[in-house]
Amino acid sequence: MQQDQRYDAVMAGGGLAGLTLALALRQGLGDSARLAVADPAFAAPQPASTDLRASAIAAGARRLFEALGVWERVEAEAQPILAMEITDSKLGDAARPVFLSFDGEVEPGEPFAHMLPNAVLQDAMTDLARERGVALLPTRIAGFTPGPARIALRLGDGAEATSSVLAACDGGRSKLRALAGIGVTGWSYHQSAIVMTVGHERPHAGKAIEHFLPAGPFAMLPLTGNRCSIVWTEATDTAARLLKLPRVLLLDELEQRFGLELGGIEILDEPKAFPLGFQMARSFIGERLALVGDAAHTIHPIAGQGINMGLRDVAALAEAATDAARLGLDIGGPDVLERYQRWRRFDTLAMGVATDGLNRLFGLRSDAVRLARDVGLGLVERLPALKGFFIRDAAGIGGRAPRLLRGEAL
Amino acid sequence: MTATATTVDPREVERFAALAAEWWNPRGKMRVLHKFNPVRLAYLRETLTAHFGRDPRAIRPLEGLRLLDIGCGGGLLSEPLARMGADVTGIDPAERNVRIAALHAEESGVPVDYRATTAEALADDGERFDVVMAMEVVEHVADVDLFLARAAEMVKPGGLLVAATLNRTKRAFALAIVGAEYVLGWLPRGTHDWQRFVTPEELQAALEAGGLRVIEREGVVFNPLADEWRRSGDLSVNYMMVAERPAAS
């Protein structure tokens, strides 16, 4: 076997989770570690991306990107969320009372979150991984066989390789998870999120707004310039109907929800709908295998936590592997993987249940429930300490966070 | 014999591969040693990086140091120390253990020089090391004083000898023999003979007779609730001792 087909860690999937894990392991395991990310998408030359979709990067995730040297490359494209406002109303309500608002700072001078276009992050991370000597293999992982000291890998192009550990970062419909025979559990909301980018006349001043409408949350998340990213939740069949409408009628539906505070609006990209649900793998690990990001879990995006949960996985796995490597231990051994699973599985379930509760609470029409939640949010509003806790938790830096999420090096 | 041995008999290799898999299975027969390993390795890493002035956060902090692991068994210590950058020689009188260790090192791609030999034979050859380790072997040798004298002989000036063993106390008898061998079944019966356990005072005296100076003693205790080993000031059961050969002046 050739020397260059022997790896310490192989990531299957070149999305955010796979690339971030590669960069984190490079930092933790040092320059001599042999790392690879396998994804057929690397075969195509990088197209000038037309994908305007953006993600909310919570403070903990930003600290991780800072520690890995990614943030300085994308910062110019990041829009800080300087304030948040949550309203609860019916569609026809003339005025939308604000029930919860906060200035978006976790620590003085550190915004709660930033909005960052996915394509910007993806391009910067791909470049950085290449510069740092991570092999970008333009193929998929077709199969694997774990052994006592290594895991044997069969690549989509017929080549073979071995690694100490294999990380499945191949998304919600993970092929590797299926190959490992790991089932999933969860629930569907029969709801979809319509995602699009909207331009508007007047500046948004960095304010994020989330309207809890009867059909589900409608979020307006500020991007750089006079632009917002929209996450608009509807029943799945309604969402499909909306997307088939002529653009002018869709714009009319959008305006009813968006409001006119920011002046005239226009749709800047092709709206797309994504089905919502909570799904969690029955195990996050197998023999010399770790499920990371969407392969391990997908959650309702109501609290904007999808990406941030995935990055918490990355930080936890990289830390467990680095701690083992410092002792000269096998980074794909069961103790390392079990530490990763213990760290992440409970947190994931807790977040899934919390966002589910939030969604059900806000999705109910009963006036009694409405009153209860108004009082509940009113209480949160009145207790600064509690609100601080909510912000820190949503920012992903509450609890026993991995070192990278605290902005520390591995 | 080394990790690059060439005398290959496929059936033999298969047999040793099965044994190696058993040795290296953290949930298998060697479970207790695997549980114990991170504590020993963390202690060795700290002690060696501090003594030799290395960066404790580096991934290969032991680069360039020549280490001898006496009684290496399947290589549970030798291989991680080699991964930390050390140039490791692992010796064990049992040919079988050395073959298991060499096979696993080859699979892992970690270079370790394994030899089926004794500390006495190596000392007779005039071999010298920056660090000589006698971890969990002192309690198994026939003549402790002679063994330690020969081991100490191989420590270069300025180098270290690290020993780990079991104290000859009633507690050690209760925990290591009655508990580990008979009650928990962690270890095969007859693994340990209490009469051969060594007190810290005896160990220290033997090392000093070999021209070394003891610089540290540390206990290791098992916490059954957390199912993990921790370092402690309590030397009454398992303990480790570090001794230095003063640099030639």
Side-chain angles (χ1 to χ4, degrees), chain A residues 60-300:
Chain A
R62 186 187 51 72
R63 290 178 187 179
L64 175 143
F65 285 135
E66 248 170 22
L68 295 179
V70 175
W71 191 249
E72 58 194 64
R73 299 197 179 196
V74 299
E75 200 172 4
E77 306 280 343
Q79 167 66 46
I81 296 180
L82 301 170
M84 287 184 65
E85 195 173 286
I86 295 175
T87 78
D88 180 20
S89 51
K90 293 176 191 150
L91 192 53
D93 288 356
R96 287 177 173 161
V98 173
F99 284 112
L100 182 63
S101 68
F102 28 71
D103 295 331
E105 291 193 341
V106 185
E107 306 279 351
E110 181 176 12
F112 160 81
H114 285 78
M115 289 302 293
L116 191 62
N118 294 351
V120 169
L121 197 52
Q122 179 78 29
D123 291 352
M125 304 251 292
T126 307
D127 290 346
L128 204 54
R130 194 178 283 120
E131 286 167 34
R132 294 191 180 161
V134 175
L136 303 181
L137 311 175
T139 182
R140 69 201 167 87
I141 303 296
F144 53 87
T145 312
R150 318 271 304 160
I151 183 167
L153 307 175
R154 290 180 297 288
L155 275 51
D157 59 10
E160 294 188 346
T162 69
S163 181
S164 292
V165 66
L166 172 64
C169 312
D170 53 347
R173 272 171 282 175
S174 169
K175 287 224 168 59
L176 266 56
R177 185 183 64 211
L179 282 175
I182 299 172
V184 293
T185 178
W187 52 82
S188 159
Y189 292 108
H190 309 292
Q191 281 180 320
S192 291
I194 302 169
V195 176
M196 68 180 94
T197 308
V198 167
H200 42 79
E201 281 179 332
R202 286 195 286 277
H204 49 53
K207 186 162 78 173
I209 300 172
E210 191 152 9
H211 297 306
F212 280 99
L213 301 173
F218 178 91
M220 302 150 64
L221 304 162
L223 301 176
T224 51
N226 287 352
R227 298 181 307 146
C228 272
S229 182
I230 300 296
V231 182
W232 172 5
T233 310
E234 289 286 351
T236 296
D237 50 348
T238 310
R241 270 206 309 280
L242 282 166
L243 290 190
K244 283 191 199 120
L245 288 178
R247 192 52 72 85
V248 59
L249 293 181
L250 177 64
L251 189 63
D252 182 59
E253 289 289 332
L254 179 66
E255 272 176 348
Q256 287 184 40
R257 291 160 175 85
F258 194 93
L260 296 167
E261 290 88 346
L262 299 180
I265 60 174
E266 58 175 330
I267 299 173
L268 300 178
D269 59 358
E270 191 61 40
K272 286 181 185 150
F274 299 89
L276 302 179
F278 173 76
Q279 173 188 288
M280 186 163 99
R282 291 190 187 276
S283 171
F284 281 15
I285 57 175
E287 253 188 280
R288 297 199 173 271
L289 176 72
L291 308 185
V292 177
D294 286 351
H297 48 73
T298 56
I299 69 167
H300 192 287

Side-chain angles (χ1 to χ4, degrees), chain A residues 302-328:
Chain A
I302 192 168
Q305 294 295 346
I307 278 191
N308 299 298
M309 295 284 284
L311 294 176
R312 292 183 76 132
D313 294 349
V314 167
L317 182 57
E319 183 166 330
T322 300
D323 286 351
R326 289 228 170 90
L327 297 180

Side-chain angles (χ1 to χ4, degrees), chain B residues 154-195:
Chain B
M154 290 187 277
V155 179
K156 289 180 189 171
L160 296 180
L161 186 145
V162 186
T165 189
L166 283 156
N167 199 347
R168 196 170 62 250
T169 59
K170 280 184 188 153
R171 265 194 89 209
F173 180 77
L175 292 174
I177 297 184
V178 179
E181 293 182 19
Y182 287 83
V183 179
L184 297 171
W186 277 355
L187 298 169
R189 292 183 185 184
T191 298
H192 288 117
D193 173 358
W194 184 73
Q195 298 298 334

Side-chain angles (χ1 to χ4, degrees), chain A residues 347-358:
Chain A
D347 185 37
T348 301
L349 187 58
M351 183 65 83
V353 170
T355 51
D356 180 59
L358 212 53

